């Protein structure tokens, strides 16, 4: 590959990086262009750590001999022990320990290789292996995303030529820079969705970040909290309290998301969510779908926790509907993207009435009015209740 061919591929990487082509597209396009210019790549893989509550790192593997040439691999934090074993046995770990930025390992050896990946590739007919590590940041790394690890292999007789290795050394830095740009975007999207909620996070990244910029929406409101949490927090050992909170929060949040709702805020053991739709009846039905899902998840969770001899509880839930302001509230230094308005206060107060009414689920008359007749028949009135901070009594409903 001559300098003009190298420059052509490098220009493509820069252009696609600026346009935001994703990691699989960048890797696949890069490898295909290298092959077109005579660099006989057969397999390539990129790995980088990330900043995500569940994923420890991500990988992208390209194979010229597979129909779906590029696939993504995810390494979960829940499998950290397995991930650690894989890392310890990899050439990349050896490279870091010996402060190497590259390693070239021809596969024409006999006997057993030091690294399992080399034996696997040799059995598949590969003749050469080349790995690179490129630093992505200095002291101010974005989480642990401080390096991009790449490996390249071929089945060409005699392995990679000196020109092939020169081309990879020249081109992979541009690929790394493009991968870094799109990965930072993916990380930002993941973080805002996790901490702000899916819809709120999307709106923030769209640019709706000015303080006081809100819009009026009519939405179904969900507020739930853990039943008897104060008493439980005094009874449950401190080391078990957070895992318990996580278990029940997972049940609530997963149920809301599965039904198309958006979780906006976690306040201690409480969860505030909204269900929006052009058809308000559909939004109400989605909330009921989430509630049914939650009951199933709580039953399964409690059965598991009983087997583990850990504390169990339930969830109090309120459903309401009303007009709220949705957007940025706070100061120039600290903003919250949330909903505010009397309806928000009311749904929280309705949830706190569950204990008084001895019901796990309470809904407002405004919510019931949205339901089709068949679903509405499944609720009965419990009468009017005085809600703290609400001037007029509110009629509440529950299932018989």
């Amino acid at each position: 590959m001559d300098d003009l061919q190298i420059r052509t591929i490098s220009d493509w990487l820069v252009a696609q990086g600026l346009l935001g082509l994703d990691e699989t597209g960048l890797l696949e396009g890069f490898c295909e262009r290298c092959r077109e210019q005579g660099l006989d790549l057969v397999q390539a893989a990129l790995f980088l750590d990330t900043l995500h509550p569940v994923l420890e790192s991500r990988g992208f593997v390209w194979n010229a001999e597979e129909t779906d040439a590029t696939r993504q691999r995810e390494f979960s934090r829940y499998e950290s022990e397995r991930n650690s074993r894989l890392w310890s046995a990899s050439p990349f770990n050896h490279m870091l320990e010996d402060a190497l930025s590259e390693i070239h390992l021809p596969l024409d050896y006999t006997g057993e290789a030091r690294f399992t990946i080399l034996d696997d590739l040799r059995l598949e007919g590969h003749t050469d292996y080349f790995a690179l590590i490129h630093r992505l940041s200095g002291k101010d790394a974005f989480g642990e995303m401080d390096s991009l690890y790449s490996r390249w292999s071929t089945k060409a007789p005699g392995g990679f030529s000196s020109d092939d290795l020169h081309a990879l050394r020249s081109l992979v830095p541009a690929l790394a820079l493009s991968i870094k740009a799109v990965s930072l975007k993916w990380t930002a999207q993941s973080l805002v969705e996790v901490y702000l909620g899916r819809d709120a996070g999307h709106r923030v990244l769209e640019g709706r970040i000015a303080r006081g910029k809100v819009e009026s929406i009519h939405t179904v409101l969900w507020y739930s909290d853990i039943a008897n949490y104060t008493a439980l927090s005094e009874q449950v050992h401190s080391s078990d309290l957070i895992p318990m909170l996580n278990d029940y929060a997972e049940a609530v949040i997963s149920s809301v998301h599965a039904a198309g709702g958006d979780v906006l805020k976690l306040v201690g053991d409480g969860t505030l969510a909204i269900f929006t739709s052009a058809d308000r009846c559909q939004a109400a039905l989605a909330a009921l779908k989430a509630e049914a899902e939650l009951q199933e998840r709580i039953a399964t969770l409690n059965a598991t926790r009983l087997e583990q001899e850990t504390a169990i509880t339930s969830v109090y839930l309120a459903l309401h509907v009303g007009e709220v302001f949705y957007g940025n509230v706070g100061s120039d230094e600290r903003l919250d993207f949330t909903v505010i308005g009397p309806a928000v206060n009311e749904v929280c107060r309705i949830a706190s009435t569950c204990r008084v009414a001895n019901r796990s689920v309470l809904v407002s008359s405004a919510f019931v009015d949205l339901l089709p007749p068949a679903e509405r028949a499944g609720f009965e009135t419990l009468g009017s209740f005085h809600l703290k901070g609400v001037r007029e009594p509110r009629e509440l409903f529950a299932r018989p």
Side-chain angles (χ1 to χ4, degrees):
M1 194 183 299
D2 60 30
D3 289 344
L4 178 59
Q5 293 170 317
I6 290 174
R7 191 181 314 118
T8 299
I9 296 175
S10 180
D11 289 346
W12 179 84
L13 286 170
V14 172
Q16 296 306 311
L18 290 172
L19 291 173
L21 182 63
D22 65 17
E23 295 95 338
T24 56
L26 285 167
L27 178 59
E28 186 168 329
F30 173 76
C31 292
E32 288 173 350
R33 281 162 176 78
C34 285
R35 285 174 62 84
E36 289 170 0
Q37 301 302 329
L39 203 171
D40 191 14
L41 291 173
V42 174
Q43 192 177 113
L46 306 175
F47 302 94
L48 69 166
D49 292 331
T50 189
L51 184 60
H52 190 277
V54 175
L55 298 181
E56 191 170 64
S57 59
R58 298 191 299 153
F60 304 90
V61 181
W62 173 85
N63 193 323
E65 299 174 338
E66 294 182 357
T67 303
D68 296 326
T70 310
R71 55 188 171 85
Q72 180 174 335
R73 294 187 63 186
E74 296 182 340
F75 300 89
S76 170
R77 296 186 186 278
Y78 300 123
E79 298 179 319
S80 58
E81 186 174 332
R82 169 183 169 274
N83 297 341
S84 180
R85 288 198 304 270
L86 291 173
W87 173 256
S88 297
S90 75
F92 295 123
N93 183 46
H94 162 73
M95 292 168 69
L96 287 183
E97 289 179 346
D98 290 359
L100 301 175
S101 60
E102 68 173 58
I103 189 170
H104 179 211
L105 299 171
L107 303 181
D108 57 357
Y109 58 87
T110 57
E112 186 175 342
R114 176 179 176 183
F115 306 108
T116 303
I117 181 64
L118 302 183
D119 284 336
D120 293 341
L121 291 172
R122 187 179 59 165
L123 288 173
E124 293 172 10
H126 293 248
T127 58
D128 210 350
Y129 175 97
F130 185 53
L132 295 161
I133 298 178
H134 287 92
R135 298 288 295 176
L136 299 180
S137 60
K139 295 181 179 179
D140 299 322
F142 205 110
E144 296 182 353
M145 199 175 80
D146 57 359
S147 298
L148 181 125
Y149 307 87
S150 66
R151 63 172 174 84
W152 315 87
S153 59
T154 183
K155 291 184 177 180
F160 289 122
S161 68
S162 58
D163 285 344
D164 292 337
L165 296 177
H166 169 71
L168 288 172
R169 291 188 184 104
S170 301
L171 287 169
V172 176
L175 175 62
L177 185 58
S178 295
I179 292 286
K180 176 183 179 180
V182 71
S183 293
L184 286 174
K185 178 183 177 182
W186 178 88
T187 300
Q189 289 174 330
S190 300
L191 288 177
V192 295
E193 287 181 3
V194 166
Y195 284 96
L196 298 180
R198 294 176 177 177
D199 184 66
H202 178 71
R203 290 170 183 250
V204 165
L205 288 179
E206 280 185 335
R208 304 186 194 185
I209 58 175
R211 180 164 69 111
K213 188 175 181 62
V214 298
E215 63 178 292
S216 177
I217 63 171
H218 203 279
T219 187
V220 170
L221 294 155
W222 162 302
Y223 188 81
S224 60
D225 57 16
I226 295 178
N228 305 316
Y229 175 71
T230 301
L232 281 169
S233 64
E234 295 176 352
Q235 300 168 10
V236 175
H237 191 275
S238 57
S239 62
D240 297 325
L241 187 60
I242 297 301
M244 183 187 77
L245 273 173
N246 285 340
D247 281 348
Y248 288 96
E250 174 70 25
V252 171
I253 295 168
S254 296
S255 299
V256 170
H257 283 171
D262 288 295
V263 175
L264 298 182
K265 189 180 291 294
L266 304 178
V267 185
D269 63 312
T271 302
L272 175 64
I274 59 173
F275 293 82
T276 55
S277 173
D279 184 341
R280 295 174 188 171
C281 174
Q282 291 303 313
L285 291 174
L288 288 182
K289 180 180 178 181
E291 183 266 333
E293 174 80 10
L294 175 61
Q295 300 307 329
E296 292 181 7
R297 288 178 179 270
I298 292 294
T300 301
L301 172 60
N302 283 347
T304 300
R305 291 181 64 85
L306 279 174
E307 289 180 1
Q308 297 171 344
E309 298 183 346
T310 53
I312 65 170
T313 185
S314 59
V315 172
Y316 289 144
L317 169 63
L319 297 174
H320 186 35
V321 62
E323 186 175 9
V324 297
F325 290 107
Y326 186 33
N328 292 286
V329 179
S331 73
D332 289 342
E333 297 178 350
R334 176 65 171 89
L335 288 170
D336 191 12
F337 203 104
T338 188
V339 288
I340 59 172
V344 179
N345 178 57
E346 287 185 26
V347 74
C348 295
R349 299 307 180 189
I350 293 171
S352 65
T353 307
C354 285
R355 178 182 293 185
V356 176
N358 195 29
R359 300 297 177 98
S360 61
V361 180
L362 289 177
V363 303
S364 68
S365 59
F367 179 85
V368 170
D369 289 343
L370 289 179
L371 299 175
E375 282 73 18
R376 190 181 307 166
F379 290 89
E380 64 177 10
T381 182
L382 299 182
S384 296
F385 290 79
H386 289 279
L387 306 178
K388 184 178 179 180
V390 180
R391 182 178 301 177
E392 300 295 332
R394 293 290 189 259
E395 185 178 16
L396 301 181
F397 292 75
R399 292 191 177 90

